[in-house]
Amino acid sequence: MERIMLAHGSGGRLSHELVRTLFQKYLGNPYLDQMNDASLLPGREQLAVTTDSFVVSPLFFRGGNIGKLAVCGTVNDLAVSGAIPKFLTLALILEEGLPMDELERVIESIAETATEAGVAIVCGDTKVVERGSADKIFINTTGIGYITDRLVGPEQIRPGDEILITGTIGDHGITILSEREGLEFQTPVVSDCAPLNGLIDAFYLPGVKCMRDPTRGGVATTLNELAGQAGVSMLLVEEQFPLSPSVEGACEMLGLEPLYLANEGKVLVIVAPEVAEEVLLNMQAHPLGRNAARIGQVQEGKFGLVLLETPLGGKRIVGMLEGEHLPRIC
Amino acid sequence: MERIMLAHGSGGRLSHELVRTLFQKYLGNPYLDQMNDASLLPGREQLAVTTDSFVVSPLFFRGGNIGKLAVCGTVNDLAVSGAIPKFLTLALILEEGLPMDELERVIESIAETATEAGVAIVCGDTKVVERGSADKIFINTTGIGYITDRLVGPEQIRPGDEILITGTIGDHGITILSEREGLEFQTPVVSDCAPLNGLIDAFYLPGVKCMRDPTRGGVATTLNELAGQAGVSMLLVEEQFPLSPSVEGACEMLGLEPLYLANEGKVLVIVAPEVAEEVLLNMQAHPLGRNAARIGQVQEGKFGLVLLETPLGGKRIVGMLEGEHLPRIC
């Protein structure tokens, strides 16, 4: 069987075959192998739960694919919430006619990334829709994590706190854009797509107040959310943003603001000033945080404004993303 | 804003507006209102988890719509596993151009059904894809339940156990088929789509060995799964299947086997013979179980065969669903 057929989503014989030959083969573990309507899992008194659907186009891009992204996105939402990611569910919507080997590569990548992130795929679902009713593969992952004693959240943020980012910004956004539009750069841009729980475990100290992964909408939108929730202002210093030369070049050429580009392997961290330096050094000592930098500071200001200091010393307001310049980034 | 635009999935301003004006308005609760990357929930030592995506077409049908179905499907998978459904996540993939009032009716129905089933929507996600890249609305719900002391599962099944069903079969399948093909019946068929946790609480007794909701693939496929997992045979008696007159008529007219039609509000129950009568009476006393019936018996037989005794006294093997006669039933 070289292509996905409608019968693979029937719940009947071909559905069972797909489960056995693909999902159990790559993803099998004692939870998944229960093969009942629901999987029984060990829990905790406090849980963190998050859900995300992935519709990225193209399916495969430099540095990742929709499967890797679907694991990272959900693992990261748990990790930035201060939780330990433990379990993922996996639900696929497939377009009739999808080449089976593309699906297999995606599932293989899900297996690899789940192992890297230390999470188990505990249950799943597959639906198949007629040709033309979906675009190849859509994936939902829902994540369950155990709560730690990490007290993080926007309500912890105070004026004077420092704003750190764990590395260069905009890499994922520019990668997708360049793959989609066939743009070529001297040094190809690679998506930063990565599970971030290991990095967070490496840099976390008490004094870390809040963490977010700036995906859709980028750093600007994420900081606007936080500033609004915390009732503070934020001042960013443009010159301090870590940017890869290719992303910088692409942004100049295309008139894009790196602050609005999606990232899939970065954490924005708000940290008390007295531990900022130590947290930053911890980040830089980890392979995923080598380019970590201070990019700004939290200030008084109840309107939740995010301000940007430009290289010439001027300041302007940076709002949330308006409209949509690059759909299906994740 | 009368239609969904790509920017509703941007993560930016319009995404936030949609969350506020639609999701929080209808679904708001203290878990959802945390508005962080992950929601913090009270857990338990043992959890049941299940995930399901819904791609039913048409979106609205007699007796339900994709929103109601998305809540029922996941609640029911938890309930038949012996768990108490507690929390649902909700992830939407929307097609650009979707009329906003259709989305609103779906969300309203999700809110209503979640209330009926006693579950809270605890986190969500919305993606928007370009016109033509998806068919209107796809929904994923992932459910978390608390484990009870109900010891159910295929490993409990023994020869001699009775097979019960909580009501008429095939109603959902025939409803979708008739809506899609414009078939008219004297008495319109109505989907049985309903949350089943209340019914299960009403009929459950120790001695109930296993429960499943026969959705995709119908009663035949579900019983084949159970017979295979339990290493037993099953003998069904065709004359004892509860069938509504319209479903019976439609099946005769179209040459369909009710045993393979999808149900969205029925439970197959395998029960020890000594409590079968009491469980059946409990079912019949509940509004969702009035037409409950005994439909067969578990027998010795290690090959996992499901046999059907026809009205003329013959027996034939009933296999899993082969192929797909009706895609996008849920």
Side-chain angles (χ1 to χ4, degrees):
Chain A
M1 210 76 64
E2 293 182 350
R3 289 183 179 272
I4 285 291
M5 304 190 307
L6 284 171
H8 283 111
S10 66
R13 197 177 51 80
L14 277 182
S15 298
H16 284 79
E17 209 170 288
L18 192 67
V19 167
R20 211 177 47 244
T21 59
L22 203 56
F23 304 130
Q24 290 197 304
K25 175 180 164 191
Y26 287 105
L27 306 172
N29 63 57
Y31 306 115
L32 190 67
D33 297 345
Q34 295 172 27
M35 296 300 294
N36 284 324
D37 283 311
S39 293
L40 303 193
L41 307 177
R44 282 289 188 281
E45 255 180 55
Q46 289 284 319
L47 303 172
V49 175
T50 187
T51 190
D52 236 328
S53 293
F54 297 84
V55 298
V56 67
S57 170
L59 292 183
F60 299 90
F61 48 84
R62 267 187 232 97
N65 60 61
I66 191 170
K68 180 176 180 185
L69 197 59
V71 174
C72 294
T74 295
V75 161
N76 294 349
D77 279 344
L78 292 172
V80 297
S81 305
I84 299 174
K86 295 295 290 183
F87 306 115
L88 295 191
T89 65
L90 175 67
L92 306 173
I93 297 174
L94 307 178
E95 184 187 11
E96 177 189 15
L98 177 78
M100 196 62 91
D101 68 317
E102 290 193 16
L103 178 60
E104 184 158 7
R105 284 163 62 201
V106 168
I107 299 297
E108 217 178 329
S109 184
I110 288 173
E112 244 175 63
T113 315
T115 302
E116 184 185 344
V119 293
I121 308 290
V122 293
C123 57
D125 177 55
T126 306
K127 295 292 190 304
V128 182
V129 298
E130 317 86 314
R131 210 178 282 261
S133 289
D135 189 9
K136 298 188 184 81
I137 306 183
F138 298 150
I139 300 183
N140 177 278
T141 52
T142 298
I144 300 178
Y146 293 163
I147 297 294
T148 63
D149 56 2
R150 291 174 189 170
L151 196 65
V152 289
E155 68 287 353
Q156 308 292 326
I157 300 174
R158 296 287 175 279
D161 288 346
E162 302 268 359
I163 305 170
L164 313 181
I165 182 123
T166 58
T168 56
I169 65 181
D171 302 76
H172 181 73
I174 293 294
T175 301
I176 297 298
L177 182 67
S178 66
E179 300 258 4
R180 220 180 283 166
E181 307 296 331
L183 306 176
E184 305 258 338
F185 304 106
Q186 279 192 313
T187 319
V189 196
V190 177
S191 168
D192 55 347
C193 177
L196 296 169
N197 46 339
L199 170 63
I200 291 173
D201 290 345
F203 73 69
Y204 180 86
L205 291 176
V208 167
K209 308 282 199 80
C210 187
M211 304 186 278
R212 284 273 166 97
D213 53 334
T215 56
R216 280 186 294 179
V219 169
T221 302
T222 302
L223 289 180
N224 266 279
E225 286 173 13
L226 291 182
Q229 289 180 305
V232 296
S233 286
M234 295 184 177
L235 178 65
L236 304 180
V237 183
E238 191 169 356
E239 277 180 308
Q240 296 176 356
F241 296 160
L243 278 178
S244 79
S246 310
V247 169
E248 193 168 7
C251 285
E252 273 171 22
M253 191 172 79
L254 302 167
L256 295 173
E257 285 243 40
L259 276 183
Y260 290 100
L261 292 173
N263 309 277
E264 293 291 345
K266 297 293 151 41
V267 197
L268 271 169
V269 182
I270 316 287
V271 60
E274 56 275 19
V275 296
E277 187 62 26
E278 191 178 349
V279 170
L280 190 63
L281 290 171
N282 287 348
M283 288 175 179
Q284 290 165 344
H286 190 279
L288 291 174
R290 277 194 301 263
N291 298 309
R294 264 197 186 88
I295 60 167
Q297 204 179 34
V298 178
Q299 302 191 326
E300 299 276 355
K302 58 186 169 186
F303 299 112
L305 289 183
V306 177
L307 298 162
L308 181 71
E309 191 180 301
T310 62
L312 298 173
K315 283 184 199 170
R316 61 180 174 87
I317 294 176
V318 173
M320 279 199 181
L321 178 63
E322 294 281 337
E324 170 65 299
H325 50 182
L326 194 58
R328 298 182 61 187
I329 196 83
C330 61
Chain B
M1 212 75 67
E2 292 182 352
R3 288 181 180 273
I4 285 291
M5 305 190 305
L6 284 170
H8 284 112
S10 65
R13 197 177 51 78
L14 276 183
S15 299
H16 284 77
E17 211 170 285
L18 192 65
V19 167
R20 211 177 48 245
T21 59
L22 203 56
F23 304 132
Q24 290 196 303
K25 176 179 163 194
Y26 286 104
L27 307 171
N29 63 56
Y31 306 115
L32 189 67
D33 298 344
Q34 295 172 29
M35 296 299 293
N36 284 324
D37 284 308
S39 292
L40 304 193
L41 307 177
R44 282 289 187 281
E45 256 179 55
Q46 289 284 320
L47 303 172
V49 175
T50 186
T51 191
D52 235 329
S53 293
F54 297 84
V55 298
V56 66
S57 171
L59 292 183
F60 299 91
F61 48 83
R62 265 186 232 96
N65 60 61
I66 191 171
K68 181 177 180 186
L69 197 59
V71 174
C72 295
T74 295
V75 161
N76 294 348
D77 279 344
L78 292 172
V80 297
S81 303
I84 299 174
K86 295 294 291 181
F87 305 116
L88 295 190
T89 65
L90 175 67
L92 305 173
I93 297 175
L94 307 177
E95 184 186 11
E96 178 189 15
L98 177 78
M100 195 61 91
D101 67 319
E102 289 192 16
L103 178 60
E104 184 159 5
R105 282 163 61 202
V106 168
I107 299 298
E108 219 177 327
S109 182
I110 289 174
E112 246 175 62
T113 315
T115 302
E116 185 185 344
V119 294
I121 308 290
V122 294
C123 58
D125 177 55
T126 305
K127 295 291 189 306
V128 182
V129 298
E130 317 86 315
R131 208 178 285 260
S133 289
D135 188 11
K136 299 188 185 85
I137 306 182
F138 298 151
I139 300 182
N140 176 278
T141 51
T142 299
I144 300 178
Y146 294 163
I147 297 294
T148 62
D149 55 3
R150 292 175 190 171
L151 196 66
V152 289
E155 69 287 352
Q156 308 292 328
I157 299 173
R158 296 287 176 277
D161 289 347
E162 303 267 358
I163 306 170
L164 313 181
I165 181 121
T166 57
T168 55
I169 66 181
D171 302 79
H172 181 72
I174 293 293
T175 301
I176 297 299
L177 182 68
S178 66
E179 300 257 2
R180 221 182 281 165
E181 306 298 331
L183 305 178
E184 305 257 339
F185 303 106
Q186 277 193 316
T187 319
V189 195
V190 177
S191 168
D192 55 346
C193 177
L196 296 170
N197 47 339
L199 170 63
I200 291 173
D201 290 346
F203 74 68
Y204 180 85
L205 291 176
V208 167
K209 308 283 198 80
C210 187
M211 303 185 278
R212 283 275 166 96
D213 53 333
T215 56
R216 280 186 294 178
V219 169
T221 303
T222 303
L223 289 180
N224 266 279
E225 286 173 14
L226 291 182
Q229 288 179 309
V232 296
S233 286
M234 294 183 179
L235 177 65
L236 305 181
V237 183
E238 191 169 355
E239 277 182 309
Q240 297 176 357
F241 296 160
L243 278 178
S244 79
S246 311
V247 168
E248 194 169 3
C251 284
E252 274 170 24
M253 191 170 80
L254 302 165
L256 295 172
E257 284 244 40
L259 275 183
Y260 290 100
L261 292 173
N263 310 277
E264 293 290 346
K266 297 293 151 39
V267 197
L268 271 169
V269 182
I270 317 287
V271 60
E274 58 274 19
V275 296
E277 187 61 27
E278 191 178 351
V279 170
L280 190 63
L281 290 171
N282 286 348
M283 288 175 179
Q284 290 166 342
H286 190 279
L288 291 175
R290 275 194 301 261
N291 299 309
R294 262 195 187 91
I295 59 168
Q297 204 179 34
V298 179
Q299 302 190 327
E300 297 278 355
K302 58 188 170 189
F303 299 111
L305 289 183
V306 177
L307 297 163
L308 181 71
E309 190 181 303
T310 62
L312 297 176
K315 284 184 197 171
R316 62 183 174 85
I317 294 178
V318 174
M320 279 200 181
L321 179 64
E322 293 282 335
E324 168 66 299
H325 49 184
L326 195 59
R328 298 182 63 187
I329 196 85
C330 61

